[in-house]
């Protein structure tokens, strides 16, 4: 290998090791708004900090199909249109114990146990 080629190739061994005293790069935490209400997104999305990777998903089924259960995430679930809130919440919790779930519902709504 000539000197020009040696200068262009990165040294993989040192590229992976962070410099002393430099914190590792933080990944954004995944967050999901599960709703089919298009008017809810602007109300919630505008209030979120930049350290969240926030996406809107139409249904709990779509969320479960699209995301592995082993990754932590914040889930804001709009439960107002759910026919069986208890069963839906149970499915969500069964998919991942690493989801922090926030449920949005109407004041008059009743949950069954």
């Amino acid at each position: 290998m000539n000197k020009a080629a040696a200068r262009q190739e990165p040294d993989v061994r040192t590229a992976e090791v962070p410099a002393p005293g430099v914190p590792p790069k933080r990944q954004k935490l995944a967050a999901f708004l599960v709703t089919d209400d298009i008017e809810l997104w602007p109300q919630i999305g505008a209030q979120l900090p930049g350290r969240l990777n926030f996406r809107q998903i139409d249904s709990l089924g779509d969320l479960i199909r699209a995301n592995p259960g082993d990754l932590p995430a914040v889930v804001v679930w709009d439960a107002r249109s759910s026919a069986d809130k208890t069963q839906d919440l149970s499915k969500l919790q069964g998919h991942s114990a690493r989801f922090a779930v926030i449920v949005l519902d109407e004041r008059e709504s009743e949950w069954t146990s």
Side-chain angles (χ1 to χ4, degrees), residues 47-108:
Q47 307 301 321
L48 298 172
R51 66 179 179 260
L52 294 175
N53 182 13
F54 204 68
R55 293 186 350 190
Q56 188 270 329
I57 305 258
D58 290 332
S59 70
L60 287 179
D62 291 345
L63 175 69
I64 290 170
R65 282 188 294 278
N67 296 286
D70 60 341
L71 298 176
V74 175
V75 176
V76 180
W77 172 42
D78 178 7
R80 295 176 295 172
S81 63
S82 173
D84 189 344
K85 295 171 177 68
T86 303
Q87 181 180 2
D88 288 343
L89 182 59
S90 194
K91 281 184 201 175
L92 187 57
Q93 291 173 326
H95 176 68
S96 179
R98 300 192 72 191
F99 284 173
V101 181
I102 300 168
V103 180
L104 305 176
D105 201 3
E106 296 170 318
R107 181 176 292 177
E108 297 82 26

Side-chain angles (χ1 to χ4, degrees), residues 6 11 19 22 25 30 33-34 48 55 71 91 103 112:
D11 186 351
V22 176
K25 196 175 198 180
L33 171 60
V34 181
L48 298 172
R55 293 186 350 190
L71 298 176
K91 281 184 201 175
V103 180
T112 60

Side-chain angles (χ1 to χ4, degrees), residues 33 35-46 56 78 80:
L33 171 60
T35 186
D36 58 358
D37 181 353
I38 61 171
E39 294 180 12
L40 189 58
W41 173 253
Q43 296 173 29
I44 292 180
Q56 188 270 329
D78 178 7
R80 295 176 295 172

